[in-house]
C-alpha cells in the first residue's frame, strides 16, 4: 500500500490560507507540522483549523510559550508553539518526547492504524543553530545531542520521522540520523528560506539551504520525493511516497 507523507514547518501560520491551499492540493495521507501555534488553553489551534477544513484527524503537542512577535507575527500576545500530526487514518496513540530541556525541543510520536498495520510517525523541530557547529551550544544540550535523544525513542520498524531538523546534510545531527534511518532525499534539495525574515541572524537571501527531512526505517520503500512549491511559509513543504 502506498501513502503520501508530507512535512512542513508552517512558520506559526503567517500565511495560513496558502498553507491550507497547498495541503488541500497535496492530498497527503499523513502530515507532520512543526511550528503550529495555539492560544494558551487550546483556542485557535492551527492543527485543529486545518484538520477541520480538510478532513484530517489530528494530534498536537505544545512545546513552549512565547510572544507572537518572536516569530514575526504582528502581536504581543502569548502563544504556545508545538508540533502536530494530521492523518487520514485513525490515530490510536500519541506521546511527546523531550529532546532538550534547555532549548525546549520535543518530538511528537503517534501510532497510526493503516488497515491492519500500525505505523509509528514522529514530527519534530530541532533548535536552530544558524548552520553553525554544535560546539557552540551548551554542553549536553547540543544539536547533535537532540538527534541522539530522538533516535533513542524511534522504533526500528514501521517508522517515519520528519520535521525541521535545522541541520544541513553534513551536520553531525544528520549523519547520526542517516546511520540509523533512511534519508528519503539523498539529493539533499534546498528547502529554506522563502523569506529573508525567516531568520534575522542568517538573513537568507535565497532558497539554498536544506533544513527539512523525512526519514524512514529501513524496511519501508520510498519513491517520488518532492520539494513542493508554496509561499505559505519560510520553509518549503516536502513529500514522499512510502510503501508499507
Amino acid at each position: 500500500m502506498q501513502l503520501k507523507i508530507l512535512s512542513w514547518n508552517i512558520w506559526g501560520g503567517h500565511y495560513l490560507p496558502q498553507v491550507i491551499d497547498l495541503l488541500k492540493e497535496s492530498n497527503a495521507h499523513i502530515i507532520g507540522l512543526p511550528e503550529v501555534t495555539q492560544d494558551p488553553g487550546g483556542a485557535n489551534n492551527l492543527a485543529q483549523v486545518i484538520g477541520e477544513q480538510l478532513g484530517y484527524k489530528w494530534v498536537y503537542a505544545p512545546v513552549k510559550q512565547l510572544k507572537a512577535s518572536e516569530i514575526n507575527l504582528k502581536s504581543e500576545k502569548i502563544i504556545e508553539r508545538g508540533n502536530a500530526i494530521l492523518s487520514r487514518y485513525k490515530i490510536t496513540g500519541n506521546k511527546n518526547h523531550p529532546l532538550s530541556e534547555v532549548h525546549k525541543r520535543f518530538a511528537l510520536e503517534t501510532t497510526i492504524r493503516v488497515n491492519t498495520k500500525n505505523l509509528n510517525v514522529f514530527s519534530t523541530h530541532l533548535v536552530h543553530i544558524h548552520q553553525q557547529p554544535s560546539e557552540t551550544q551548551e554542553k549536553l544540550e547540543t544539536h547533535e545531542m537532540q538527534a541522539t535523544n530522538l533516535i533513542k525513542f524511534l522504533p526500528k520498524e514501521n517508522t517515519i520521522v520528519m520535521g525541521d531538523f535545522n541541520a544541513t546534510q553534513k551536520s553531525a545531527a544528520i549523519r547520526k540520523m542517516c546511520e540509523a534511518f533512511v534519508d528519503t532525499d539523498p539529493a539533499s534539495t534546498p528547502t529554506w528560506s522563502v523569506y529573508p525574515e525567516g531568520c534575522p541572524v542568517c538573513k537568507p537571501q535565497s532558497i539554498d539551504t536544506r533544513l527539512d527531512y523525512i526519514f524512514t526505517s529501513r524496511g519501508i520503500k520510498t519513491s517520488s520525493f518532492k520539494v513542493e512549491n508554496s509561499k505559505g511559509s519560510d520553509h518549503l513543504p516536502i513529500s514522499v511516497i512510502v510503501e508499507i
Side-chain angles (χ1 to χ4, degrees), residues 48-49 62 71 93 211 236:
Q48 181 177 8
V49 171
I71 54 171
L211 299 179
L236 291 175

Side-chain angles (χ1 to χ4, degrees), residues 92-113:
T92 61
N94 67 90
K95 301 176 184 177
N96 200 27
H97 300 289
L99 306 181
S100 168
E101 290 298 334
V102 170
H103 297 290
K104 296 299 180 186
R105 298 291 158 162
F106 287 77
L108 172 61
E109 174 187 5
T110 58
T111 304
I112 297 176
R113 188 71 173 174

Side-chain angles (χ1 to χ4, degrees), residues 38-58:
Q38 67 174 17
D39 294 340
N44 299 313
N45 183 288
L46 297 188
Q48 181 177 8
V49 171
I50 295 168
E52 289 180 350
Q53 286 200 32
L54 301 183
Y56 285 95
K57 302 167 183 63
W58 61 276

Side-chain angles (χ1 to χ4, degrees), residues 12 35-40 43-44 60 62 64-71 73 75-82:
E35 290 203 18
V36 173
T37 61
Q38 67 174 17
D39 294 340
N44 299 313
Y60 171 79
K64 64 185 297 186
Q65 290 192 351
L66 69 165
K67 288 184 178 179
S69 59
E70 292 181 51
I71 54 171
L73 294 172
S75 172
E76 291 300 313
K77 74 174 185 178
I78 299 298
I79 59 172
E80 288 182 343
R81 186 175 71 180

Side-chain angles (χ1 to χ4, degrees), residues 6-239:
L6 185 143
S7 180
W8 195 7
N9 180 330
I10 61 169
W11 205 21
H14 282 72
Y15 303 107
L16 187 59
Q18 289 95 316
V19 169
I20 292 174
D21 286 346
L22 184 282
L23 295 179
K24 181 178 181 180
E25 182 180 346
S26 78
N27 198 30
H29 296 91
I30 298 172
I31 301 169
L33 300 178
E35 290 203 18
V36 173
T37 61
Q38 67 174 17
D39 294 340
N44 299 313
N45 183 288
L46 297 188
Q48 181 177 8
V49 171
I50 295 168
E52 289 180 350
Q53 286 200 32
L54 301 183
Y56 285 95
K57 302 167 183 63
W58 61 276
V59 172
Y60 171 79
V63 171
K64 64 185 297 186
Q65 290 192 351
L66 69 165
K67 288 184 178 179
S69 59
E70 292 181 51
I71 54 171
N72 296 318
L73 294 172
K74 295 179 180 179
S75 172
E76 291 300 313
K77 74 174 185 178
I78 299 298
I79 59 172
E80 288 182 343
R81 186 175 71 180
N83 300 305
I85 294 174
L86 294 84
S87 174
R88 297 288 188 196
Y89 296 90
K90 185 177 181 179
I91 300 172
T92 61
N94 67 90
K95 301 176 184 177
N96 200 27
H97 300 289
L99 306 181
S100 168
E101 290 298 334
V102 170
H103 297 290
K104 296 299 180 186
R105 298 291 158 162
F106 287 77
L108 172 61
E109 174 187 5
T110 58
T111 304
I112 297 176
R113 188 71 173 174
V114 181
N115 294 339
T116 60
K117 180 171 287 189
N118 286 330
L119 195 59
N120 310 301
V121 180
F122 291 73
S123 181
T124 194
H125 183 197
L126 304 191
V127 68
H128 191 193
I129 59 173
H130 313 292
Q131 295 72 254
Q132 298 300 312
S134 294
E135 288 76 10
T136 61
Q137 301 301 299
E138 291 89 339
K139 187 177 181 180
L140 298 181
E141 292 288 351
T142 64
H143 201 238
E144 181 180 357
M145 182 61 70
Q146 291 169 48
T148 299
N149 289 338
L150 173 60
I151 291 168
K152 294 177 182 177
F153 295 118
L154 301 178
K156 298 187 185 307
E157 296 181 348
N158 300 326
T159 296
I160 297 168
V161 54
M162 54 185 158
D164 176 5
F165 282 74
N166 274 316
T168 63
Q169 193 175 37
K170 294 182 179 180
S171 68
I174 298 304
R175 289 200 305 269
K176 281 185 173 291
M177 288 297 304
C178 289
E179 289 172 2
F181 286 80
V182 177
D183 180 359
T184 59
D185 179 25
S188 204
T189 313
T191 61
W192 185 82
S193 174
V194 178
Y195 296 99
E197 57 267 36
C199 179
V201 176
C202 300
K203 298 179 181 178
Q205 298 302 308
S206 61
I207 303 171
D208 58 7
T209 305
R210 183 190 184 191
L211 299 179
D212 304 274
Y213 298 79
I214 300 174
F215 295 97
T216 66
S217 53
R218 300 195 182 280
I220 296 178
K221 296 180 180 179
T222 67
S223 62
S224 305
F225 181 91
K226 183 180 180 181
V227 176
E228 310 275 354
N229 185 28
S230 175
K231 295 277 189 181
S233 172
D234 59 331
H235 290 252
L236 291 175
I238 58 175
S239 66

